[in-house]
Amino acid sequence: MTKLFSVGFWEAIARLILRNRIGIILVVISATVFFSLQWGKMRFTYTEANLLPDEHSVNLEYNSFLETFGEEGNLIVLGIKDSSLFTVENLNAWNKLSTSFKSNKEVETVISIYDLQKLVKNTQKEQFDLEPFIKDSISNVNELKELQEQLFEQYPFYDNFLFNKDTKTIRSAIYLEKSIVNTPVRKDFITKILIPKIEAFETTYNLDVRVSGMPYIRTLNSQNIIDEISLFIGAALLVTSCIFFFFFRSFRATFISMFVVLIGVMWTFGIIGLLEYEITVLTALIPPLIIVIGIPNCIFLINKYQHEVNKHGNKAKSLQRVITKIGNATLMTNVTTASGFATFIITESKLLKEFGTVASLSILGIFLLCLLIIPIIYSYMPMPKDKHLEHLNKRWINGFVDWMENMVRHRKITIYVTALILLIASIIGIYQIKISGSLIEDMPKKAAFFEDIRFFEEEFNGIMPLEIMVNTNRKKGVMKLSTLKRMNDLEELIIETPELSKPISVVSLVKYSKQAYYNGNLKYYQLPTSQENSFILSYAKNSSSDVDLLKNFVDSTGQYARITTFMKDTGIDKMERIEDNLRTKIDKIFPKDRYDVIITGKAYLFQKGTKYLVNNLILSLSLAIFLISLFMAYMFRSFRMIIVSLIPNLLPLLITAGLMGYLGVPIKPSTILVFSIAFGISVDDTIHFLAKYRQELQANHWRIKKSVYAALRETGVSMFYTSIVLFFGFSVFIISNFGGTVALGALVSGTLLFAMLANLLLLPSLLLSLERSIANKEVLKEPHFRIIPDEEDKNADK
């Protein structure tokens, strides 16, 4: 009954498609127009990828910080390391460039050498006044020398913020309006105002200006992602079409396949727009992925059509058989592939959820398009000519199949020993894998903005903000001397940590106030005593609002304080060590019953997100294996067959993981994707082989060896074709400027190549070696439905 239902179902589908061709074409056109109209809803991402669930404690702490102090990633820095800057003309021009940005509505404030103010004691009014270092402009060399002496030798408050006194590197800080940081306005300001002004300055004064900061990095990085979408789509089309033509030697078949996958790409963009998702570094990969995954569908369908035409020359029968015999198999393989991507939906990471949702829906979409469009187009076209069918009898591919059969027949021990050696070596390699939480590791290494990141790391110990927020749990608790001393103790640890920059906080400001109270004497740049504190605070209270420097470091209630430091690009291992040291110090000096202290910031958030994803990798991959095992159980109804089928698909994953360890490729958000994706795709070959093997068993009256070799010869060619397309298709990602995308492409390509060899050599060898255990009628029960209908099924020929 199940058998009749399965065959009858696909017969009904074939009749429906071939008898309603015009209607189906109109439906496909309407759907394509509908999805095209959704493109306008697509948005390009203007924020960093948040890898953590919204309700995760680290996310909640970060949001608490933002509510208290506002957006922390709004700083753009300009820097110059050049002795020729210190001329009257050049330094005035630099100050003019910096201050010119103040007139832009997108800018909150600018702090440059020109804006630096001296805190001066006014004894008469018992208050502090602000006096500029540069009153108007520098008019002569003496003024320039005096400025250098004051900045580099007398006022440590500004050191490592706007200059490096050791290397004489100068920088300016541009703070964007917090409301535009995560909007398209940020991009317009950077690309249309900031960059042109800087380029004009560089040309005029022959000075090399370095630019960095999270808004700047994110803008240029997002533009690179956008630029690479069209590059990947073009490269994927070129590579897959060339391979397709090489196999089929038919322009007609190649153009039909390209036409189908291009519609699939249009649908993918439409799905992204319909769901109102952002184009991120991951969702940007889906359109070329659909090309790479869609072409094997085309290969199966067109190859079957030409095989049927070559067999009996009846076009109508050939088209019907393409749908009835290949429809079920391609449905199952596309479902398993989609399942591999769909497992990311359970990770609770918004980035991966969106990637998994769009990818799995797009894969099912390309399956429908292939099944509908290819038979309909061929139904309107003339019969293939003899030259279009020549590829069916290629000698070189027959030689490859002969080699595989010879290996399985005579070299099973060699295959097992090789597999065992690879397994042991892989396990050793897995123990060498490291986890990377770097925010910039996947960014284009050759890009100018990446070199600028390294420049600011070297000169100012980084640009990735790390924030520490101290909650004193009482109003005006921050300015208590006991709190300031505790914060100072913590800052001393930060200064001793080579991966962190000199911190900026209210502590530095209070030290600067004491120095000003003692008429700028450098030796008094320290925290005041309890007696001094009352005098200094009274001066601060009497000062005008222009001297209110506290607002960036302390909230309006005086209950919360922030310590801002900048972090070098560092891995998770180092970051965890730094965090442990900080938390140990925090627990020691801040009593938990009086203070709440949190560590946060974008870089910290990203590293915690990476660790979270790594922990979810096992869950995601386990779910993929479980789902696909259910498919196998439903199709073959044999537990032993499930185990046998998983071995050649898990071994390539272990080999890839081992190679990552040996080659120093770390686990990170981009490489985490490899395993679930590769497993979902590679298991397709197993399904095809085992389905054909079971069919051959019945046709050959349960003669094991004959059935294995027959299945190997029949499916080996298609498996080889599709694996080669997938291998080179995923390899196009190697041309990316993003390290993560390169690693993803190389690792998935390699895994699929290993999987093909495992399915063509190890799987048939296992079936032959375990024939008594798994190849009998009791173990291989009647399946719930046939993946490949019997050749003799007369109903299929109606």
Side-chain angles (χ1 to χ4, degrees):
M1 186 72 185
T2 328
K3 171 185 173 182
L4 291 174
F5 172 77
S6 178
V7 174
F9 172 76
W10 286 102
E11 280 186 356
I13 293 293
R15 286 195 297 270
L16 180 69
I17 293 172
L18 297 174
R19 290 179 183 177
N20 300 278
R21 294 175 294 176
I22 301 297
I24 289 172
I25 289 173
L26 291 175
V27 169
V28 170
I29 291 173
S30 300
T32 305
V33 170
F34 170 75
F35 282 125
S36 300
L37 294 174
Q38 308 304 312
W39 293 359
K41 297 179 184 177
M42 284 192 302
R43 297 169 293 135
F44 293 102
T45 182
Y46 291 101
T47 61
E48 291 91 2
N50 189 351
L51 306 177
L52 291 169
D54 291 339
E55 299 305 314
H56 195 281
S57 60
V58 174
N59 243 346
L60 295 175
E61 289 177 347
Y62 181 66
N63 291 332
S64 171
F65 171 83
L66 294 183
E67 287 173 9
T68 307
F69 290 103
E71 174 63 46
E72 45 102 26
N74 65 329
L75 171 65
I76 297 176
V77 288
L78 315 181
I80 291 183
K81 183 181 181 181
D82 193 326
S83 58
S84 62
L85 174 67
F86 295 100
T87 64
V88 173
E89 180 188 9
N90 286 354
L91 194 57
N92 281 333
W94 171 253
N95 289 332
K96 185 178 179 181
L97 170 69
S98 300
T99 54
S100 69
F101 294 109
K102 291 181 179 180
S103 59
N104 296 106
K105 63 180 183 298
E106 300 88 351
V107 175
E108 180 184 273
T109 187
V110 176
I111 303 177
S112 65
I113 296 295
Y114 179 81
D115 300 289
L116 293 189
Q117 308 268 349
K118 285 184 278 189
L119 203 59
V120 179
K121 180 182 179 183
N122 186 329
T123 310
Q124 185 176 354
K125 295 183 178 180
E126 294 189 349
Q127 67 179 34
F128 290 122
D129 295 331
L130 288 177
E131 289 183 5
F133 283 94
I134 304 171
K135 292 186 179 178
D136 239 343
S137 63
I138 302 169
S139 56
N140 55 61
V141 176
N142 290 332
E143 286 184 10
L144 179 62
K145 287 182 177 178
E146 184 183 352
L147 174 67
Q148 287 180 269
E149 183 180 328
Q150 287 182 331
L151 286 179
F152 298 146
E153 296 178 18
Q154 295 180 17
Y155 289 92
F157 177 69
Y158 295 112
D159 184 28
N160 211 56
F161 175 52
L162 288 183
F163 57 85
N164 181 328
K165 68 178 183 181
D166 297 321
T167 63
K168 304 297 186 289
T169 302
I170 299 292
R171 68 175 175 178
S172 295
I174 302 171
Y175 289 91
L176 300 184
E177 286 289 348
K178 292 170 182 175
S179 59
I180 69 126
V181 169
N182 296 323
T183 70
V185 179
R186 182 196 77 208
K187 177 186 174 184
D188 292 339
F189 169 75
I190 289 172
T191 57
K192 296 178 182 178
I193 298 173
L194 180 78
I195 293 176
K197 278 189 175 183
I198 290 171
E199 288 176 347
F201 175 84
E202 288 179 321
T203 304
T204 304
Y205 296 98
N206 196 29
L207 290 167
D208 181 21
V209 179
R210 306 293 190 131
V211 190
S212 200
M214 294 308 296
Y216 181 80
I217 294 170
R218 284 155 52 187
T219 300
L220 297 194
N221 204 41
S222 297
Q223 189 59 49
N224 274 335
I225 294 172
I226 295 166
D227 294 341
E228 287 198 348
I229 294 177
S230 55
L231 175 67
F232 286 150
I233 291 174
L237 283 172
L238 178 64
V239 169
T240 53
S241 60
C242 288
I243 297 171
F244 193 95
F245 181 78
F246 177 75
F247 287 153
F248 285 88
R249 300 299 168 94
S250 167
F251 286 109
R252 183 168 70 182
T254 304
F255 287 140
I256 290 170
S257 300
M258 294 302 110
F259 174 71
V260 172
V261 295
L262 277 175
I263 294 178
V265 169
M266 295 172 71
W267 282 27
T268 296
F269 283 125
I271 291 169
I272 294 173
L274 182 65
L275 298 174
E276 297 186 1
Y277 288 163
E278 292 182 337
I279 298 287
T280 64
V281 71
L282 291 185
T283 50
L285 300 178
I286 299 176
L289 275 176
I290 293 307
I291 296 173
V292 173
I293 293 171
I295 287 297
N297 288 342
C298 300
I299 288 177
F300 275 114
L301 293 166
I302 295 175
N303 194 50
K304 183 63 178 175
Y305 171 66
Q306 294 183 350
H307 179 79
E308 291 292 332
V309 167
N310 190 49
K311 187 175 178 182
H312 48 69
N314 186 323
K315 186 166 81 169
K317 181 193 289 187
S318 300
L319 289 171
Q320 189 176 28
R321 283 193 162 191
V322 164
I323 299 169
T324 56
K325 293 190 175 185
I326 300 298
N328 212 6
T330 50
L331 173 62
M332 286 302 100
T333 54
N334 279 269
V335 166
T336 54
T337 301
S339 298
F341 285 90
T343 55
F344 297 121
I345 297 172
I346 64 154
T347 59
E348 296 186 22
S349 163
K350 182 185 175 187
L351 182 77
L352 288 186
K353 270 186 176 180
E354 292 182 359
F355 175 72
T357 301
V358 175
S360 52
L361 290 176
S362 298
I363 290 167
L364 297 178
I366 194 68
F367 161 73
L368 281 175
L369 288 171
C370 291
L371 189 67
L372 295 175
I373 295 176
I374 289 176
I376 289 175
I377 289 179
Y378 272 104
S379 72
Y380 286 109
M381 300 187 78
M383 292 277 286
K385 297 177 182 177
D386 290 341
K387 67 177 183 179
H388 296 143
L389 307 177
E390 288 176 357
H391 72 92
L392 297 172
N393 299 305
K394 281 184 181 162
R395 291 182 180 177
W396 68 269
I397 193 67
N398 290 332
F400 175 70
V401 175
D402 289 341
W403 173 80
M404 289 188 304
E405 184 178 332
N406 181 63
M407 288 293 293
V408 173
R409 191 185 293 269
H410 303 295
R411 301 287 184 89
K412 284 194 287 292
I413 299 300
T414 303
I415 292 171
Y416 293 147
V417 170
T418 303
L420 184 62
I421 292 172
L422 287 172
L423 176 63
I424 294 170
S426 300
I427 292 171
I428 295 171
I430 288 171
Y431 280 98
Q432 299 178 39
I433 292 182
K434 294 182 179 179
I435 301 172
S436 167
S438 168
L439 193 59
I440 67 170
E441 183 174 3
D442 285 345
M443 292 180 183
K445 301 290 189 295
K446 296 179 182 177
F449 75 85
F450 187 86
E451 294 177 3
D452 289 349
I453 291 172
R454 294 302 188 200
F455 169 82
F456 283 104
E457 275 194 348
E458 185 178 336
E459 296 297 323
F460 296 96
N461 273 26
I463 54 158
M464 305 297 172
L466 181 69
E467 301 279 357
I468 298 173
M469 186 169 76
V470 179
N471 178 6
T472 63
N473 291 312
R474 53 179 172 170
K475 290 184 178 181
K476 299 183 180 179
V478 171
M479 298 309 294
K480 297 287 184 183
L481 190 58
S482 58
T483 301
L484 294 173
K485 286 181 177 179
R486 288 184 168 94
M487 290 176 64
N488 187 58
D489 287 345
L490 182 58
E491 288 188 12
E492 287 177 359
L493 175 62
I494 293 172
I495 292 170
E496 292 170 4
T497 305
E499 292 84 6
L500 300 177
S501 69
K502 178 185 172 184
I504 307 167
S505 74
V506 65
V507 172
S508 304
L509 186 58
V510 171
K511 289 179 179 179
Y512 187 25
S513 301
K514 179 175 177 178
Q515 182 184 3
Y517 186 79
Y518 286 101
N519 301 313
N521 192 325
L522 180 60
K523 73 177 185 178
Y524 289 103
Y525 183 76
Q526 56 187 248
L527 283 178
T529 63
S530 56
Q531 187 176 10
E532 289 170 331
N533 196 39
S534 58
F535 295 137
I536 292 169
L537 282 180
S538 67
Y539 266 70
K541 287 176 184 177
N542 295 334
S543 301
S544 65
S545 59
D546 293 337
V547 193
D548 184 16
L549 302 176
L550 284 176
K551 60 183 179 181
N552 291 322
F553 307 115
V554 182
D555 79 314
S556 58
T557 67
Q559 178 176 328
Y560 295 90
R562 69 190 287 189
I563 300 173
T564 302
T565 180
F566 294 92
M567 189 171 74
K568 286 184 177 180
D569 179 45
T570 185
I572 278 186
D573 291 343
K574 279 188 179 179
M575 185 59 217
E576 287 182 340
R577 174 180 56 78
I578 293 169
E579 183 185 358
D580 288 342
N581 291 341
L582 288 175
R583 291 201 183 279
T584 301
K585 188 74 169 179
I586 288 168
D587 292 341
K588 182 178 179 181
I589 61 179
F590 289 96
K592 290 188 176 182
D593 58 331
R594 293 167 54 193
Y595 297 94
D596 295 318
V597 183
I598 63 169
I599 301 173
T600 188
K602 288 196 185 304
Y604 180 80
L605 201 68
F606 184 82
Q607 292 194 329
K608 288 296 180 182
T610 301
K611 192 69 180 290
Y612 173 83
L613 286 188
V614 171
N615 293 335
N616 275 263
L617 166 64
I618 299 173
L619 176 63
S620 173
L621 184 58
S622 300
L623 181 63
I625 294 170
F626 176 70
L627 287 176
I628 290 166
S629 298
L630 286 182
F631 286 131
M632 305 291 272
Y634 188 66
M635 288 186 288
F636 298 110
R637 302 178 68 193
S638 166
F639 177 75
R640 295 177 193 173
M641 189 64 85
I642 294 170
I643 300 301
V644 169
S645 65
L646 288 177
I647 292 173
N649 289 290
L650 293 177
L651 180 61
L653 299 185
L654 293 172
I655 292 173
T656 300
L659 282 175
M660 288 174 65
Y662 288 122
L663 298 176
V665 178
I667 290 286
K668 50 189 174 181
S670 49
T671 54
I672 281 172
L673 306 175
V674 169
F675 301 97
S676 294
I677 293 174
F679 184 78
I681 296 174
S682 67
V683 80
D684 296 350
D685 286 344
T686 308
I687 291 173
H688 275 290
F689 183 87
L690 291 179
K692 186 62 184 174
Y693 168 64
R694 194 189 187 290
Q695 187 186 71
E696 291 293 336
L697 274 176
Q698 292 181 321
N700 293 303
H701 306 291
W702 301 91
R703 282 180 288 181
I704 311 304
K705 291 183 180 178
K706 187 175 181 180
S707 301
V708 169
Y709 299 137
L712 185 61
R713 298 198 72 85
E714 174 117 358
T715 60
V717 176
S718 292
M719 288 162 68
F720 177 76
Y721 279 6
T722 54
S723 295
I724 292 301
V725 170
L726 289 167
F727 174 80
F728 285 103
F730 275 98
S731 295
V732 302
F733 294 124
I734 295 174
I735 66 175
S736 172
N737 289 317
F738 292 88
T741 308
V742 172
L744 176 69
L747 292 171
V748 172
S749 297
T751 307
L752 294 178
L753 193 62
F754 291 134
M756 179 194 73
L757 293 173
N759 278 302
L760 291 176
L761 297 174
L762 183 58
L763 179 58
S765 298
L766 287 170
L767 291 173
L768 289 172
S769 299
L770 304 172
E771 59 183 83
R772 294 182 181 177
S773 302
I774 63 173
N776 57 68
K777 294 181 182 179
E778 287 70 31
V779 173
L780 272 176
K781 300 172 186 175
E782 188 71 12
H784 283 288
F785 56 85
R786 293 199 182 281
I787 300 166
I788 303 175
D790 291 335
E791 289 289 332
E792 294 77 11
D793 198 320
K794 295 178 182 179
N795 291 324
D797 295 335
K798 286 183 182 179

